[in-house]
Amino acid sequence: MTERLKISGLKKAFGSKVVLDGVDLSVAPGESLVIIGGSGTGKSVLLKCILGLIKPDAGSILLDGKELVGLKGRALEEARARFGMLFQGGALFDSLPVWRNITFALTQGKLGGGAQMRKLAIENLTKVGLEARVADLRPSELSGGMQKRVALARAIAAKPEIIFFDEPTTGLDPIRADVINALIREQVTALGATALTITHDMASVRHIADRVAMLHGGRIIWQGPVSELDSSGNDYVDQFVHGRREGPMRVATTA
Ligand SMILES: Nc1ncnc2c1ncn2[C@@H]1O[C@H](COP(=O)(O)OP(=O)(O)OP(=O)(O)O)[C@@H](O)[C@H]1O
Ligand SMILES: [Mg+2]
């Protein structure tokens, strides 16, 4: 199998705290992989390692067979240009109108290309079901669900080959979450993109995933097709999928 992304032996510690302890994971072209795992298990750290925002201590991340770890300057920018990203919490810039947020990466953060960029932003707003008038609002003037849609519009605006979604539905009611899930599926399919999503929302997992991988104790402890999620035979996966307090994963009740 030719892999779009192939992660091997990835390790990252912060001081004495080991977060990633040898992650092995591959994503095929056009596949939608969802990573599940408890809070603080290192899901966002894993994503940031792929994006080159955090430097891993060891291991390899291959993009179409080419090493991403250690890339700098122009080579890193070229690799990143193939990625779209929806950050946990949206991470929209409140100082900029919505349309500038959507085209931020396309203009490399510079404020050029006014009319053309605004038009492109509105096209992408339409794809996520928002009206053109939203383009001129500030992110702070939008509801949480609208902010997620804008963040999705930003993630797809550059027509990336690979899109990362970090908790795309957190904080939304179940109906709005379902709308975002459907939009993600639709837009990823329309672009023919490869998608890697992180979520604790099981409805999201079932909606978005072709394949699921569970991160626990710094490693991928289970992976399989979404159809096998309910019969994984893995106690950790079972506990997570059913949201049980009792199970192999102990959670301090004060946390
Ligand atoms: N830049 C950093 N410096 C130090 N520690 C960090 C840094 N980034 C993350 N961590 C730590 O790494 C661990 C994993 O964090 P991460 O954000 O990846 O968790 P997560 O699995 O995404 O959790 P959640 O589901 O709550 O988003 C946490 O203990 C966090 O405090
Ligand atoms: Mg996270």
Side-chain angles (χ1 to χ4, degrees):
M1 182 177 82
T2 50
E3 280 118 356
R4 177 115 302 162
L5 267 179
K6 183 173 166 57
I7 300 167
S8 326
L10 201 73
K11 296 193 178 188
K12 180 68 192 176
F14 294 103
S16 60
K17 187 180 169 58
V18 176
V19 177
L20 303 179
D21 193 20
V23 169
D24 296 315
L25 191 64
S26 292
V27 195
E31 181 178 46
S32 174
L33 178 76
V34 173
I35 300 177
I36 57 173
S39 270
T41 50
K43 303 180 300 296
S44 293
V45 168
L46 173 59
L47 220 65
K48 286 174 185 166
C49 286
I50 302 171
L51 293 168
L53 299 172
I54 290 181
K55 189 176 173 297
D57 300 327
S60 155
I61 303 169
L62 301 180
L63 172 65
D64 290 333
K66 294 208 185 88
E67 186 59 66
L68 285 180
V69 175
L71 285 188
K72 292 191 184 68
R74 194 174 175 134
L76 179 61
E77 274 171 36
E78 277 171 15
R80 275 195 193 146
R82 300 177 58 189
F83 296 154
M85 175 72 206
L86 190 158
F87 285 99
Q88 189 165 9
L92 300 171
F93 302 111
D94 252 331
S95 60
L96 296 174
V98 161
W99 70 273
R100 278 291 184 198
N101 268 279
I102 293 173
T103 58
F104 192 80
L106 289 166
T107 58
Q108 272 102 37
K110 298 186 193 83
L111 298 185
Q116 194 195 349
M117 286 296 141
R118 196 167 172 282
K119 183 164 167 277
L120 196 141
I122 290 172
E123 278 166 27
N124 281 282
L125 282 173
T126 309
K127 287 183 192 163
V128 299
L130 290 175
E131 297 167 22
R133 64 169 190 90
V134 172
D136 298 310
L137 301 177
R138 305 270 155 174
S140 57
E141 296 176 272
L142 306 177
S143 73
M146 289 165 87
Q147 289 178 6
K148 292 280 190 196
R149 287 186 197 229
V150 171
L152 176 59
R154 177 167 68 179
I156 62 175
K159 298 192 166 43
E161 291 164 69
I162 307 170
I163 316 186
F164 301 96
F165 299 99
D166 194 352
E167 302 288 356
T169 58
T170 303
L172 300 183
D173 70 56
I175 297 165
R176 282 175 181 78
D178 195 51
V179 171
I180 291 290
N181 288 330
L183 281 170
I184 287 177
R185 255 296 183 199
E186 185 185 299
Q187 292 304 320
V188 167
T189 308
L191 286 171
T194 304
L196 204 164
T197 305
I198 290 172
T199 184
H200 331 84
D201 174 359
M202 290 315 297
S204 232
V205 176
R206 294 180 199 285
H207 211 129
I208 295 174
D210 297 325
R211 206 155 56 82
V212 183
M214 178 154 176
L215 184 64
H216 178 74
R219 289 167 187 237
I220 300 297
I221 56 159
W222 181 84
Q223 55 181 303
V226 66
S227 57
E228 289 175 14
L229 195 58
D230 294 310
S231 55
S232 67
N234 183 300
D235 290 343
Y236 292 86
V237 175
D238 265 353
Q239 186 185 354
F240 193 87
V241 168
H242 298 108
R244 290 194 199 104
R245 190 156 48 87
E246 301 294 331
M249 291 178 282
R250 309 296 303 171
V251 177
T253 45
T254 50

